Amino acid sequence: QKEVEQNSGPLSVPEGAIASLNCTYSDRVSQSFFWYRQYSGKSPELIMSIYSNGDKEDGRFTAQLNKASQYVSLLIRDSQPSDSATYLCAVNRGATNKLIFGTGTLLAVQP
Amino acid sequence: DTEVTQTPKHLVMGMTNKKSLKCEQHMGHRAMYWYKQKAKKPPELMFVYSYEKLSINESVPSRFSPECPNSSLLNLHLHALQPEDSALYLCASSQDMVTSGYFGPGTRLTVT
């Protein structure tokens, strides 16, 4: 089992729809969870961080964390073609304080 | 200012060359990182410095040698690299080793 798992996609959604990106992790002591967006040929850009159970909203983005289910998700409302990118889930592995990345989900927003 | 800068943007080097990658941040962050990223793969952690001391080395070959001259600077010295070392090398920094990291734009390295 991979430490951080994501569906590689591509996830294709029409413009204006809600894109739902999911991530599961294996280490129960993980404390910090992050979503990065990476455009092709560019470096990852932090878009959301979440540390406690529940939802965290920032503009069109909502991160959801369920530690009991070891599950973190990212919702993108009113998806735009400019949101087309790879979304990387990253989990801080509590025991070693290392940031472990999932393989990323490629999101394609169709105009 | 959430900026991490890296130089050079692109680097082509032969297998016998010695070169260095540079990274700088002025956010007062005390943790700095080197990652390697191959195409269509996630970033892969190489080294972590915390308070200017090397705290994590992910069993990286000795042809990669990190250096942290001060709290704002991070270098990666390269020597006798192999073609398979060609990748995007990313520097990141964070307030500490628990909080989120901010990435620099990366150095695209090609080893010929």
Side-chain angles (χ1 to χ4, degrees):
Chain A
Q1 183 189 8
K2 292 181 182 176
E3 292 189 68
V4 181
E5 293 207 54
Q6 295 180 255
N7 188 322
S8 60
L11 173 65
S12 183
V13 300
E15 183 174 356
I18 295 175
S20 178
L21 303 159
N22 304 315
C23 173
T24 58
Y25 61 94
S26 61
D27 190 342
R28 287 192 170 274
V29 301
S30 300
Q31 295 295 321
S32 312
F33 306 87
F34 310 98
W35 284 99
Y36 287 83
R37 178 176 63 198
Q38 187 171 26
Y39 293 111
S40 181
K42 301 293 187 181
S43 63
E45 173 192 8
L46 178 68
I47 53 172
M48 290 289 285
S49 56
I50 187 166
Y51 303 96
S52 54
N53 279 330
D55 295 359
K56 180 181 177 183
E57 188 175 318
D58 183 1
R60 296 187 296 113
F61 298 99
T62 299
Q64 299 174 316
L65 175 61
N66 184 325
K67 288 187 178 181
S69 300
Q70 295 176 240
Y71 175 92
V72 59
S73 65
L74 180 70
L75 300 178
I76 306 175
R77 289 180 300 281
D78 187 25
S79 295
Q80 301 297 308
S82 58
D83 295 325
S84 298
T86 296
Y87 288 79
L88 296 160
C89 172
V91 175
N92 177 274
R93 197 166 147 219
T96 60
N97 287 331
K98 284 167 50 174
L99 199 59
I100 306 297
F101 284 87
T103 52
T105 298
L106 179 62
L107 173 65
V109 180
Q110 307 299 326
Chain B
D1 180 13
T2 55
E3 189 178 26
V4 177
T5 60
Q6 289 187 245
T7 55
K9 289 185 179 179
H10 301 275
L11 178 63
V12 179
M13 61 185 290
M15 289 189 283
T16 59
N17 292 158
K18 286 185 181 182
K19 297 285 185 183
S20 297
L21 309 184
K22 297 185 185 300
C23 172
E24 189 167 5
Q25 58 89 12
H26 294 288
M27 296 178 277
H29 288 172
R30 304 318 300 261
M32 296 186 76
Y33 312 78
W34 281 114
Y35 287 86
K36 172 183 176 179
Q37 188 176 26
K38 299 280 247 182
K40 301 191 185 302
K41 298 289 187 183
E44 182 182 330
L45 183 65
M46 300 175 73
F47 303 104
V48 181
Y49 275 83
S50 178
Y51 290 86
E52 301 164 47
K53 294 191 186 310
L54 183 65
S55 58
I56 295 177
N57 176 341
E58 287 289 278
S59 303
V60 178
S62 60
R63 57 184 184 270
F64 296 92
S65 175
E67 178 195 20
C68 189
N70 60 53
S71 61
S72 300
L73 292 174
L74 187 66
N75 297 323
L76 186 63
H77 303 297
L78 314 172
H79 172 57
L81 295 192
Q82 303 297 309
E84 59 264 30
D85 296 321
S86 299
L88 180 67
Y89 287 83
L90 296 162
C91 173
S93 72
S94 63
Q95 193 169 355
D96 51 47
M97 286 176 66
V98 177
T99 53
S100 55
Y102 294 91
F103 283 87
T107 293
R108 179 75 60 186
L109 173 68
T110 302
V111 182
T112 60

